[in-house]
Amino acid sequence: MTVQIKYCGSQSEEDYRLLVKTNADYIGFIFAESKRKVNPSDVKKWIEKYGKPKQLVGVFQNASLKEILDVISEVPIDIIQCHGDESIEMIGKLKNQLNVKVYKALPYRQQIFGDIERYGCASDAIIVDSVSKGQFGGTGVPFSWKDVPRIMEKAEEQGVPCFIAGGITPDNVSLLLPYHPHGIDLSGGIEENGKKSTKRIEQLERMLNNDNSNCT
């Protein structure tokens, strides 16, 4: 099975120009408070200049319907990623009123399997991310990947794909791939000096290509 790739946190024209040429399936922009937060008008200009060859993901955290509407009125978002405490009802409202796919990010914690069961029925995909020192997402720290097979199994029971995020890099992705995640989600792991790195991305994609070529 080919692992889907999501590169998140594109924060400049330079980042976007690089990412559209990669093997990524998705490019993510962060519209929540973050060091990688972007302005919708800037993103619109980048897309107009370099095209839209990938599916675009907008990352929000506990945003109102109006806040999300304001963004997608400028940016042709394919997928909304809810990365906060959004309710199942809110996810349903977004899907019904905006006619876009909605992915739900969930923190890796003791009740993760129950969380997947609850949110899987409402979301189009699940993203399981790390929690470190109370911070959810953007930690640069992987969680215990030994639970990934069970996480994938629980997501499959709900009929949704599941991406693994948090601390994935070209240097450690080979340790994750044997657990067969449906997708991987990277941001800081493909950066050097705060910018997306051609070298890091090429290194990662070589690892993924080698893994896929070994599949029977």
Side-chain angles (χ1 to χ4, degrees):
M1 182 183 70
T2 301
V3 178
Q4 290 195 303
I5 306 171
K6 176 173 173 280
Y7 292 147
C8 200
S10 178
Q11 58 183 316
S12 66
E13 180 178 335
E14 183 181 2
D15 278 355
Y16 187 70
R17 183 175 67 242
L18 169 60
L19 295 181
V20 296
K21 299 176 182 178
T22 68
N23 293 334
D25 301 284
Y26 311 87
I27 297 175
F29 301 98
I30 298 177
F31 299 106
E33 288 305 317
S34 165
K35 64 182 180 181
R36 299 184 179 92
K37 183 178 181 180
V38 290
N39 187 301
S41 61
D42 290 332
V43 176
K44 180 182 178 181
K45 293 174 185 176
W46 306 338
I47 294 168
E48 290 173 346
K49 189 170 183 179
Y50 300 105
K52 183 178 172 288
K54 316 290 184 182
Q55 292 194 73
L56 302 184
V57 182
V59 180
F60 299 88
Q61 188 174 53
N62 301 324
S64 68
L65 183 61
K66 182 183 183 304
E67 289 170 327
I68 295 173
L69 274 169
D70 287 345
V71 172
I72 67 174
S73 67
E74 290 196 72
V75 182
I77 296 297
D78 299 293
I79 297 160
I80 293 170
Q81 178 177 323
C82 292
H83 211 99
D85 301 316
E86 296 86 0
S87 66
I88 291 173
E89 291 74 21
M90 180 61 171
I91 291 172
K93 183 183 294 186
L94 292 173
K95 291 178 65 172
N96 293 332
Q97 295 193 24
L98 305 183
N99 195 31
V100 294
K101 292 184 177 180
V102 178
Y103 289 7
K104 181 67 180 81
L106 298 171
Y108 174 77
R109 54 186 180 178
Q110 187 173 2
Q111 61 264 44
I112 183 62
F113 304 108
D115 289 342
I116 293 172
E117 189 169 340
R118 290 194 304 116
Y119 280 96
C121 62
S123 309
D124 294 291
I126 296 294
I127 300 168
V128 178
D129 204 346
S130 299
V131 178
S132 180
K133 298 178 181 179
Q135 179 183 344
F136 171 36
T139 66
V141 179
F143 62 84
S144 179
W145 289 341
K146 64 180 175 58
D147 283 333
V148 169
R150 190 176 167 202
I151 286 171
M152 295 301 122
E153 181 181 358
K154 182 60 69 171
E156 288 167 5
E157 289 175 3
Q158 303 305 310
V160 294
C162 182
F163 290 73
I164 299 301
I168 302 171
T169 72
D171 305 307
N172 65 16
V173 71
S174 62
L175 302 176
L176 172 61
L177 295 177
Y179 294 121
H180 305 297
H182 301 143
I184 56 174
D185 188 340
L186 300 90
S187 186
I190 51 167
E191 292 179 352
E192 290 183 309
N193 301 318
K195 299 179 179 179
K196 296 298 187 274
S197 162
T198 299
K199 176 183 175 182
R200 299 285 283 170
I201 290 170
E202 288 178 348
Q203 181 185 353
L204 176 87
E205 293 185 354
R206 280 196 302 270
M207 298 292 295
L208 295 175
N209 288 335
N210 289 338
D211 183 73
N212 289 333
S213 66
N214 291 330
C215 294
T216 56

PDB file of all heavy atoms in Angstrom, residues 141-177:
ATOM      1  N   VAL A 141       8.015  15.983  18.289  1.00  0.00           N
ATOM      2  CA  VAL A 141       8.310  14.794  19.089  1.00  0.00           C
ATOM      3  C   VAL A 141       7.362  13.665  18.685  1.00  0.00           C
ATOM      4  O   VAL A 141       6.145  13.847  18.706  1.00  0.00           O
ATOM      5  CB  VAL A 141       8.132  15.084  20.595  1.00  0.00           C
ATOM      6  CG1 VAL A 141       8.408  13.831  21.419  1.00  0.00           C
ATOM      7  CG2 VAL A 141       9.033  16.228  21.027  1.00  0.00           C
ATOM      8  N   PRO A 142       7.884  12.500  18.291  1.00  0.00           N
ATOM      9  CA  PRO A 142       6.997  11.393  17.933  1.00  0.00           C
ATOM     10  C   PRO A 142       6.381  10.749  19.172  1.00  0.00           C
ATOM     11  O   PRO A 142       6.947  10.791  20.260  1.00  0.00           O
ATOM     12  CB  PRO A 142       7.929  10.407  17.218  1.00  0.00           C
ATOM     13  CG  PRO A 142       9.284  10.705  17.750  1.00  0.00           C
ATOM     14  CD  PRO A 142       9.306  12.176  18.094  1.00  0.00           C
ATOM     15  N   PHE A 143       5.192  10.167  18.964  1.00  0.00           N
ATOM     16  CA  PHE A 143       4.604   9.394  20.057  1.00  0.00           C
ATOM     17  C   PHE A 143       5.014   7.933  19.893  1.00  0.00           C
ATOM     18  O   PHE A 143       5.851   7.593  19.052  1.00  0.00           O
ATOM     19  CB  PHE A 143       3.078   9.571  20.095  1.00  0.00           C
ATOM     20  CG  PHE A 143       2.344   9.083  18.876  1.00  0.00           C
ATOM     21  CD1 PHE A 143       1.986   7.748  18.736  1.00  0.00           C
ATOM     22  CD2 PHE A 143       1.964   9.969  17.863  1.00  0.00           C
ATOM     23  CE1 PHE A 143       1.291   7.290  17.628  1.00  0.00           C
ATOM     24  CE2 PHE A 143       1.270   9.535  16.746  1.00  0.00           C
ATOM     25  CZ  PHE A 143       0.938   8.187  16.626  1.00  0.00           C
ATOM     26  N   SER A 144       4.442   7.054  20.700  1.00  0.00           N
ATOM     27  CA  SER A 144       4.822   5.643  20.696  1.00  0.00           C
ATOM     28  C   SER A 144       4.231   4.939  19.474  1.00  0.00           C
ATOM     29  O   SER A 144       3.052   4.583  19.465  1.00  0.00           O
ATOM     30  CB  SER A 144       4.326   4.966  21.984  1.00  0.00           C
ATOM     31  OG  SER A 144       4.665   3.600  21.981  1.00  0.00           O
ATOM     32  N   TRP A 145       5.040   4.745  18.445  1.00  0.00           N
ATOM     33  CA  TRP A 145       4.543   4.187  17.190  1.00  0.00           C
ATOM     34  C   TRP A 145       4.138   2.723  17.285  1.00  0.00           C
ATOM     35  O   TRP A 145       3.511   2.197  16.369  1.00  0.00           O
ATOM     36  CB  TRP A 145       5.594   4.382  16.104  1.00  0.00           C
ATOM     37  CG  TRP A 145       5.720   5.821  15.687  1.00  0.00           C
ATOM     38  CD1 TRP A 145       4.806   6.818  15.878  1.00  0.00           C
ATOM     39  CD2 TRP A 145       6.830   6.431  15.017  1.00  0.00           C
ATOM     40  NE1 TRP A 145       5.270   8.005  15.365  1.00  0.00           N
ATOM     41  CE2 TRP A 145       6.499   7.808  14.832  1.00  0.00           C
ATOM     42  CE3 TRP A 145       8.059   5.955  14.551  1.00  0.00           C
ATOM     43  CZ2 TRP A 145       7.368   8.694  14.197  1.00  0.00           C
ATOM     44  CZ3 TRP A 145       8.925   6.842  13.917  1.00  0.00           C
ATOM     45  CH2 TRP A 145       8.578   8.190  13.743  1.00  0.00           C
ATOM     46  N   LYS A 146       4.455   2.074  18.390  1.00  0.00           N
ATOM     47  CA  LYS A 146       4.049   0.668  18.526  1.00  0.00           C
ATOM     48  C   LYS A 146       2.526   0.524  18.514  1.00  0.00           C
ATOM     49  O   LYS A 146       2.003  -0.561  18.240  1.00  0.00           O
ATOM     50  CB  LYS A 146       4.615   0.067  19.813  1.00  0.00           C
ATOM     51  CG  LYS A 146       4.086   0.702  21.088  1.00  0.00           C
ATOM     52  CD  LYS A 146       4.688   0.067  22.326  1.00  0.00           C
ATOM     53  CE  LYS A 146       4.244   0.785  23.603  1.00  0.00           C
ATOM     54  NZ  LYS A 146       2.781   0.824  23.781  1.00  0.00           N
ATOM     55  N   ASP A 147       1.821   1.624  18.789  1.00  0.00           N
ATOM     56  CA  ASP A 147       0.360   1.573  18.785  1.00  0.00           C
ATOM     57  C   ASP A 147      -0.238   1.867  17.403  1.00  0.00           C
ATOM     58  O   ASP A 147      -1.454   1.805  17.236  1.00  0.00           O
ATOM     59  CB  ASP A 147      -0.216   2.595  19.778  1.00  0.00           C
ATOM     60  CG  ASP A 147      -0.102   2.115  21.216  1.00  0.00           C
ATOM     61  OD1 ASP A 147      -0.081   0.892  21.429  1.00  0.00           O
ATOM     62  OD2 ASP A 147      -0.032   2.963  22.117  1.00  0.00           O
ATOM     63  N   VAL A 148       0.608   2.182  16.422  1.00  0.00           N
ATOM     64  CA  VAL A 148       0.091   2.539  15.097  1.00  0.00           C
ATOM     65  C   VAL A 148      -0.740   1.419  14.462  1.00  0.00           C
ATOM     66  O   VAL A 148      -1.803   1.702  13.894  1.00  0.00           O
ATOM     67  CB  VAL A 148       1.241   2.987  14.170  1.00  0.00           C
ATOM     68  CG1 VAL A 148       0.758   3.110  12.721  1.00  0.00           C
ATOM     69  CG2 VAL A 148       1.804   4.327  14.641  1.00  0.00           C
ATOM     70  N   PRO A 149      -0.333   0.144  14.512  1.00  0.00           N
ATOM     71  CA  PRO A 149      -1.184  -0.893  13.911  1.00  0.00           C
ATOM     72  C   PRO A 149      -2.603  -0.913  14.480  1.00  0.00           C
ATOM     73  O   PRO A 149      -3.573  -1.033  13.730  1.00  0.00           O
ATOM     74  CB  PRO A 149      -0.427  -2.185  14.228  1.00  0.00           C
ATOM     75  CG  PRO A 149       0.997  -1.769  14.341  1.00  0.00           C
ATOM     76  CD  PRO A 149       0.950  -0.420  14.985  1.00  0.00           C
ATOM     77  N   ARG A 150      -2.709  -0.766  15.799  1.00  0.00           N
ATOM     78  CA  ARG A 150      -4.043  -0.765  16.406  1.00  0.00           C
ATOM     79  C   ARG A 150      -4.805   0.511  16.040  1.00  0.00           C
ATOM     80  O   ARG A 150      -6.026   0.491  15.850  1.00  0.00           O
ATOM     81  CB  ARG A 150      -3.929  -0.900  17.924  1.00  0.00           C
ATOM     82  CG  ARG A 150      -5.273  -1.152  18.597  1.00  0.00           C
ATOM     83  CD  ARG A 150      -5.095  -1.368  20.080  1.00  0.00           C
ATOM     84  NE  ARG A 150      -6.381  -1.295  20.776  1.00  0.00           N
ATOM     85  CZ  ARG A 150      -6.523  -1.027  22.049  1.00  0.00           C
ATOM     86  NH1 ARG A 150      -5.461  -0.809  22.807  1.00  0.00           N
ATOM     87  NH2 ARG A 150      -7.721  -0.979  22.618  1.00  0.00           N
ATOM     88  N   ILE A 151      -4.088   1.629  15.933  1.00  0.00           N
ATOM     89  CA  ILE A 151      -4.711   2.888  15.515  1.00  0.00           C
ATOM     90  C   ILE A 151      -5.267   2.739  14.101  1.00  0.00           C
ATOM     91  O   ILE A 151      -6.394   3.151  13.806  1.00  0.00           O
ATOM     92  CB  ILE A 151      -3.686   4.043  15.596  1.00  0.00           C
ATOM     93  CG1 ILE A 151      -3.435   4.415  17.058  1.00  0.00           C
ATOM     94  CG2 ILE A 151      -4.176   5.265  14.807  1.00  0.00           C
ATOM     95  CD1 ILE A 151      -2.283   5.378  17.260  1.00  0.00           C
ATOM     96  N   MET A 152      -4.476   2.145  13.199  1.00  0.00           N
ATOM     97  CA  MET A 152      -4.939   1.936  11.817  1.00  0.00           C
ATOM     98  C   MET A 152      -6.154   1.006  11.785  1.00  0.00           C
ATOM     99  O   MET A 152      -7.116   1.237  11.042  1.00  0.00           O
ATOM    100  CB  MET A 152      -3.821   1.327  10.967  1.00  0.00           C
ATOM    101  CG  MET A 152      -2.620   2.235  10.781  1.00  0.00           C
ATOM    102  SD  MET A 152      -3.029   3.809   9.983  1.00  0.00           S
ATOM    103  CE  MET A 152      -2.457   4.947  11.245  1.00  0.00           C
ATOM    104  N   GLU A 153      -6.089  -0.030  12.592  1.00  0.00           N
ATOM    105  CA  GLU A 153      -7.206  -0.983  12.645  1.00  0.00           C
ATOM    106  C   GLU A 153      -8.487  -0.292  13.111  1.00  0.00           C
ATOM    107  O   GLU A 153      -9.566  -0.504  12.540  1.00  0.00           O
ATOM    108  CB  GLU A 153      -6.850  -2.133  13.587  1.00  0.00           C
ATOM    109  CG  GLU A 153      -7.937  -3.195  13.702  1.00  0.00           C
ATOM    110  CD  GLU A 153      -7.556  -4.304  14.669  1.00  0.00           C
ATOM    111  OE1 GLU A 153      -6.440  -4.267  15.216  1.00  0.00           O
ATOM    112  OE2 GLU A 153      -8.384  -5.210  14.870  1.00  0.00           O
ATOM    113  N   LYS A 154      -8.369   0.548  14.127  1.00  0.00           N
ATOM    114  CA  LYS A 154      -9.543   1.250  14.645  1.00  0.00           C
ATOM    115  C   LYS A 154     -10.091   2.219  13.599  1.00  0.00           C
ATOM    116  O   LYS A 154     -11.314   2.339  13.423  1.00  0.00           O
ATOM    117  CB  LYS A 154      -9.179   1.993  15.929  1.00  0.00           C
ATOM    118  CG  LYS A 154     -10.345   2.724  16.593  1.00  0.00           C
ATOM    119  CD  LYS A 154     -11.476   1.776  16.977  1.00  0.00           C
ATOM    120  CE  LYS A 154     -11.096   0.854  18.102  1.00  0.00           C
ATOM    121  NZ  LYS A 154     -12.280   0.080  18.599  1.00  0.00           N
ATOM    122  N   ALA A 155      -9.204   2.909  12.875  1.00  0.00           N
ATOM    123  CA  ALA A 155      -9.656   3.818  11.821  1.00  0.00           C
ATOM    124  C   ALA A 155     -10.345   3.042  10.697  1.00  0.00           C
ATOM    125  O   ALA A 155     -11.381   3.486  10.166  1.00  0.00           O
ATOM    126  CB  ALA A 155      -8.469   4.608  11.276  1.00  0.00           C
ATOM    127  N   GLU A 156      -9.792   1.908  10.332  1.00  0.00           N
ATOM    128  CA  GLU A 156     -10.394   1.096   9.267  1.00  0.00           C
ATOM    129  C   GLU A 156     -11.775   0.602   9.671  1.00  0.00           C
ATOM    130  O   GLU A 156     -12.684   0.506   8.834  1.00  0.00           O
ATOM    131  CB  GLU A 156      -9.474  -0.074   8.936  1.00  0.00           C
ATOM    132  CG  GLU A 156      -8.216   0.360   8.184  1.00  0.00           C
ATOM    133  CD  GLU A 156      -7.148  -0.709   8.127  1.00  0.00           C
ATOM    134  OE1 GLU A 156      -7.424  -1.846   8.603  1.00  0.00           O
ATOM    135  OE2 GLU A 156      -6.040  -0.430   7.631  1.00  0.00           O
ATOM    136  N   GLU A 157     -11.951   0.311  10.944  1.00  0.00           N
ATOM    137  CA  GLU A 157     -13.280  -0.084  11.428  1.00  0.00           C
ATOM    138  C   GLU A 157     -14.298   1.026  11.208  1.00  0.00           C
ATOM    139  O   GLU A 157     -15.485   0.753  10.984  1.00  0.00           O
ATOM    140  CB  GLU A 157     -13.214  -0.443  12.915  1.00  0.00           C
ATOM    141  CG  GLU A 157     -12.500  -1.747  13.215  1.00  0.00           C
ATOM    142  CD  GLU A 157     -12.358  -1.983  14.713  1.00  0.00           C
ATOM    143  OE1 GLU A 157     -12.867  -1.149  15.513  1.00  0.00           O
ATOM    144  OE2 GLU A 157     -11.731  -2.993  15.098  1.00  0.00           O
ATOM    145  N   GLN A 158     -13.827   2.288  11.269  1.00  0.00           N
ATOM    146  CA  GLN A 158     -14.709   3.439  11.067  1.00  0.00           C
ATOM    147  C   GLN A 158     -14.791   3.842   9.594  1.00  0.00           C
ATOM    148  O   GLN A 158     -15.542   4.764   9.243  1.00  0.00           O
ATOM    149  CB  GLN A 158     -14.213   4.638  11.886  1.00  0.00           C
ATOM    150  CG  GLN A 158     -14.097   4.361  13.378  1.00  0.00           C
ATOM    151  CD  GLN A 158     -15.396   3.840  13.972  1.00  0.00           C
ATOM    152  OE1 GLN A 158     -16.448   4.425  13.765  1.00  0.00           O
ATOM    153  NE2 GLN A 158     -15.318   2.736  14.705  1.00  0.00           N
ATOM    154  N   GLY A 159     -14.009   3.167   8.761  1.00  0.00           N
ATOM    155  CA  GLY A 159     -14.058   3.440   7.327  1.00  0.00           C
ATOM    156  C   GLY A 159     -13.352   4.707   6.906  1.00  0.00           C
ATOM    157  O   GLY A 159     -13.698   5.298   5.878  1.00  0.00           O
ATOM    158  N   VAL A 160     -12.344   5.150   7.687  1.00  0.00           N
ATOM    159  CA  VAL A 160     -11.612   6.373   7.350  1.00  0.00           C
ATOM    160  C   VAL A 160     -10.112   6.102   7.354  1.00  0.00           C
ATOM    161  O   VAL A 160      -9.620   5.272   8.113  1.00  0.00           O
ATOM    162  CB  VAL A 160     -11.932   7.524   8.331  1.00  0.00           C
ATOM    163  CG1 VAL A 160     -13.376   7.955   8.199  1.00  0.00           C
ATOM    164  CG2 VAL A 160     -11.600   7.136   9.769  1.00  0.00           C
ATOM    165  N   PRO A 161      -9.353   6.822   6.513  1.00  0.00           N
ATOM    166  CA  PRO A 161      -7.897   6.717   6.590  1.00  0.00           C
ATOM    167  C   PRO A 161      -7.367   7.467   7.800  1.00  0.00           C
ATOM    168  O   PRO A 161      -8.034   8.354   8.335  1.00  0.00           O
ATOM    169  CB  PRO A 161      -7.434   7.375   5.281  1.00  0.00           C
ATOM    170  CG  PRO A 161      -8.528   8.328   4.936  1.00  0.00           C
ATOM    171  CD  PRO A 161      -9.806   7.705   5.432  1.00  0.00           C
ATOM    172  N   CYS A 162      -6.155   7.118   8.188  1.00  0.00           N
ATOM    173  CA  CYS A 162      -5.543   7.757   9.353  1.00  0.00           C
ATOM    174  C   CYS A 162      -4.101   8.134   9.028  1.00  0.00           C
ATOM    175  O   CYS A 162      -3.319   7.296   8.569  1.00  0.00           O
ATOM    176  CB  CYS A 162      -5.584   6.820  10.554  1.00  0.00           C
ATOM    177  SG  CYS A 162      -4.905   7.537  12.064  1.00  0.00           S
ATOM    178  N   PHE A 163      -3.773   9.401   9.288  1.00  0.00           N
ATOM    179  CA  PHE A 163      -2.419   9.906   9.105  1.00  0.00           C
ATOM    180  C   PHE A 163      -1.724   9.949  10.467  1.00  0.00           C
ATOM    181  O   PHE A 163      -2.345  10.265  11.478  1.00  0.00           O
ATOM    182  CB  PHE A 163      -2.444  11.328   8.529  1.00  0.00           C
ATOM    183  CG  PHE A 163      -2.909  11.414   7.099  1.00  0.00           C
ATOM    184  CD1 PHE A 163      -4.245  11.233   6.779  1.00  0.00           C
ATOM    185  CD2 PHE A 163      -2.017  11.697   6.082  1.00  0.00           C
ATOM    186  CE1 PHE A 163      -4.684  11.327   5.471  1.00  0.00           C
ATOM    187  CE2 PHE A 163      -2.440  11.798   4.774  1.00  0.00           C
ATOM    188  CZ  PHE A 163      -3.782  11.609   4.458  1.00  0.00           C
ATOM    189  N   ILE A 164      -0.435   9.694  10.435  1.00  0.00           N
ATOM    190  CA  ILE A 164       0.377   9.820  11.643  1.00  0.00           C
ATOM    191  C   ILE A 164       1.213  11.084  11.524  1.00  0.00           C
ATOM    192  O   ILE A 164       1.850  11.339  10.494  1.00  0.00           O
ATOM    193  CB  ILE A 164       1.298   8.597  11.834  1.00  0.00           C
ATOM    194  CG1 ILE A 164       0.455   7.323  11.972  1.00  0.00           C
ATOM    195  CG2 ILE A 164       2.181   8.781  13.069  1.00  0.00           C
ATOM    196  CD1 ILE A 164      -0.526   7.320  13.121  1.00  0.00           C
ATOM    197  N   ALA A 165       1.195  11.891  12.581  1.00  0.00           N
ATOM    198  CA  ALA A 165       1.932  13.151  12.609  1.00  0.00           C
ATOM    199  C   ALA A 165       2.750  13.224  13.891  1.00  0.00           C
ATOM    200  O   ALA A 165       2.561  12.431  14.818  1.00  0.00           O
ATOM    201  CB  ALA A 165       0.958  14.329  12.534  1.00  0.00           C
ATOM    202  N   GLY A 166       3.644  14.188  13.925  1.00  0.00           N
ATOM    203  CA  GLY A 166       4.393  14.433  15.153  1.00  0.00           C
ATOM    204  C   GLY A 166       5.786  13.848  15.122  1.00  0.00           C
ATOM    205  O   GLY A 166       5.963  12.643  15.313  1.00  0.00           O
ATOM    206  N   GLY A 167       6.780  14.666  14.853  1.00  0.00           N
ATOM    207  CA  GLY A 167       8.165  14.237  14.968  1.00  0.00           C
ATOM    208  C   GLY A 167       8.669  13.305  13.894  1.00  0.00           C
ATOM    209  O   GLY A 167       9.727  12.676  14.066  1.00  0.00           O
ATOM    210  N   ILE A 168       7.959  13.194  12.773  1.00  0.00           N
ATOM    211  CA  ILE A 168       8.427  12.338  11.679  1.00  0.00           C
ATOM    212  C   ILE A 168       9.482  13.101  10.884  1.00  0.00           C
ATOM    213  O   ILE A 168       9.291  14.262  10.523  1.00  0.00           O
ATOM    214  CB  ILE A 168       7.272  11.928  10.760  1.00  0.00           C
ATOM    215  CG1 ILE A 168       6.175  11.200  11.547  1.00  0.00           C
ATOM    216  CG2 ILE A 168       7.777  11.035   9.623  1.00  0.00           C
ATOM    217  CD1 ILE A 168       4.902  10.958  10.750  1.00  0.00           C
ATOM    218  N   THR A 169      10.589  12.439  10.596  1.00  0.00           N
ATOM    219  CA  THR A 169      11.682  13.037   9.833  1.00  0.00           C
ATOM    220  C   THR A 169      12.203  12.009   8.829  1.00  0.00           C
ATOM    221  O   THR A 169      11.914  10.809   8.931  1.00  0.00           O
ATOM    222  CB  THR A 169      12.843  13.460  10.748  1.00  0.00           C
ATOM    223  OG1 THR A 169      13.517  12.274  11.203  1.00  0.00           O
ATOM    224  CG2 THR A 169      12.369  14.266  11.947  1.00  0.00           C
ATOM    225  N   PRO A 170      13.017  12.446   7.864  1.00  0.00           N
ATOM    226  CA  PRO A 170      13.651  11.479   6.970  1.00  0.00           C
ATOM    227  C   PRO A 170      14.549  10.496   7.717  1.00  0.00           C
ATOM    228  O   PRO A 170      14.804   9.397   7.227  1.00  0.00           O
ATOM    229  CB  PRO A 170      14.480  12.362   6.021  1.00  0.00           C
ATOM    230  CG  PRO A 170      13.822  13.698   6.064  1.00  0.00           C
ATOM    231  CD  PRO A 170      13.317  13.836   7.468  1.00  0.00           C
ATOM    232  N   ASP A 171      15.006  10.882   8.887  1.00  0.00           N
ATOM    233  CA  ASP A 171      15.928  10.045   9.642  1.00  0.00           C
ATOM    234  C   ASP A 171      15.229   8.931  10.419  1.00  0.00           C
ATOM    235  O   ASP A 171      15.848   7.913  10.739  1.00  0.00           O
ATOM    236  CB  ASP A 171      16.741  10.908  10.617  1.00  0.00           C
ATOM    237  CG  ASP A 171      17.467  12.041   9.907  1.00  0.00           C
ATOM    238  OD1 ASP A 171      18.196  11.754   8.941  1.00  0.00           O
ATOM    239  OD2 ASP A 171      17.284  13.206  10.303  1.00  0.00           O
ATOM    240  N   ASN A 172      13.941   9.134  10.740  1.00  0.00           N
ATOM    241  CA  ASN A 172      13.258   8.094  11.534  1.00  0.00           C
ATOM    242  C   ASN A 172      12.058   7.472  10.835  1.00  0.00           C
ATOM    243  O   ASN A 172      11.434   6.560  11.377  1.00  0.00           O
ATOM    244  CB  ASN A 172      12.834   8.645  12.903  1.00  0.00           C
ATOM    245  CG  ASN A 172      11.780   9.745  12.816  1.00  0.00           C
ATOM    246  OD1 ASN A 172      11.117   9.935  11.797  1.00  0.00           O
ATOM    247  ND2 ASN A 172      11.598  10.485  13.907  1.00  0.00           N
ATOM    248  N   VAL A 173      11.707   7.947   9.636  1.00  0.00           N
ATOM    249  CA  VAL A 173      10.499   7.440   8.982  1.00  0.00           C
ATOM    250  C   VAL A 173      10.591   5.938   8.705  1.00  0.00           C
ATOM    251  O   VAL A 173       9.567   5.238   8.684  1.00  0.00           O
ATOM    252  CB  VAL A 173      10.215   8.226   7.687  1.00  0.00           C
ATOM    253  CG1 VAL A 173      11.230   7.888   6.600  1.00  0.00           C
ATOM    254  CG2 VAL A 173       8.789   7.957   7.190  1.00  0.00           C
ATOM    255  N   SER A 174      11.799   5.409   8.540  1.00  0.00           N
ATOM    256  CA  SER A 174      11.956   3.978   8.285  1.00  0.00           C
ATOM    257  C   SER A 174      11.501   3.141   9.474  1.00  0.00           C
ATOM    258  O   SER A 174      11.165   1.959   9.321  1.00  0.00           O
ATOM    259  CB  SER A 174      13.417   3.642   7.958  1.00  0.00           C
ATOM    260  OG  SER A 174      14.263   3.960   9.052  1.00  0.00           O
ATOM    261  N   LEU A 175      11.466   3.743  10.669  1.00  0.00           N
ATOM    262  CA  LEU A 175      10.988   3.034  11.857  1.00  0.00           C
ATOM    263  C   LEU A 175       9.462   3.012  11.912  1.00  0.00           C
ATOM    264  O   LEU A 175       8.873   2.147  12.563  1.00  0.00           O
ATOM    265  CB  LEU A 175      11.549   3.695  13.125  1.00  0.00           C
ATOM    266  CG  LEU A 175      13.074   3.783  13.229  1.00  0.00           C
ATOM    267  CD1 LEU A 175      13.468   4.540  14.480  1.00  0.00           C
ATOM    268  CD2 LEU A 175      13.686   2.388  13.217  1.00  0.00           C
ATOM    269  N   LEU A 176       8.828   3.985  11.244  1.00  0.00           N
ATOM    270  CA  LEU A 176       7.370   4.072  11.243  1.00  0.00           C
ATOM    271  C   LEU A 176       6.739   3.227  10.141  1.00  0.00           C
ATOM    272  O   LEU A 176       5.679   2.609  10.346  1.00  0.00           O
ATOM    273  CB  LEU A 176       6.952   5.540  11.074  1.00  0.00           C
ATOM    274  CG  LEU A 176       5.465   5.827  10.850  1.00  0.00           C
ATOM    275  CD1 LEU A 176       4.627   5.353  12.046  1.00  0.00           C
ATOM    276  CD2 LEU A 176       5.248   7.319  10.612  1.00  0.00           C
ATOM    277  N   LEU A 177       7.373   3.173   8.979  1.00  0.00           N
ATOM    278  CA  LEU A 177       6.757   2.538   7.810  1.00  0.00           C
ATOM    279  C   LEU A 177       6.379   1.074   8.017  1.00  0.00           C
ATOM    280  O   LEU A 177       5.354   0.630   7.481  1.00  0.00           O
ATOM    281  CB  LEU A 177       7.679   2.686   6.596  1.00  0.00           C
ATOM    282  CG  LEU A 177       7.888   4.134   6.119  1.00  0.00           C
ATOM    283  CD1 LEU A 177       8.885   4.174   4.962  1.00  0.00           C
ATOM    284  CD2 LEU A 177       6.554   4.753   5.701  1.00  0.00           C
TER     285      LEU A 177
END
